Amino acid sequence: PNSTIEEKNQVARLVALAWFMLIASIVIWSLFSVLAVPRKREWENSMTQRKLNLANEEEAFKRGFFHWISLTWVDGLIGRYGKCLHAVVSDNEIVENR
């Protein structure tokens, strides 16, 4: 209540710094969690007998530009693997007939 302008400015700087650090840590965690997805090991590949039609960009574009730009065609891939550090993506599962 009886604080000076300098004290109010100092509090504002600390609040801004705290928000910046929070946002920066969320962005860094998000980038790391996407970049650090490991590949499937050999024994896991043998468990998948057929390739799945997940995230087929060419088929999505054939259905129309607005379908392609909406990114709903990626939902199957996201639903299968999610976005986490423990998700394992096999390249040969993404598009059928590679």
Side-chain angles (χ1 to χ4, degrees), residues 18-32:
W19 274 108
F20 174 77
M21 291 178 65
L22 176 70
I23 298 302
S25 63
I26 290 172
V27 167
I28 289 170
W29 171 80
S30 179
L31 289 173
F32 179 74

Side-chain angles (χ1 to χ4, degrees), residues 8-54:
K8 289 180 180 178
N9 285 344
Q10 182 65 23
V11 169
R13 280 189 210 103
L14 290 174
V15 169
L17 179 65
W19 274 108
F20 174 77
M21 291 178 65
L22 176 70
I23 298 302
S25 63
I26 290 172
V27 167
I28 289 170
W29 171 80
S30 179
L31 289 173
F32 179 74
S33 67
V34 170
L35 294 175
V37 176
R39 296 287 173 205
K40 274 194 171 182
R41 295 175 291 259
E42 287 303 316
W43 63 270
E44 290 176 311
N45 284 332
S46 64
M47 294 173 61
T48 305
Q49 296 300 320
R50 67 180 188 92
K51 296 178 182 177
L52 303 174
N53 194 13
L54 302 174

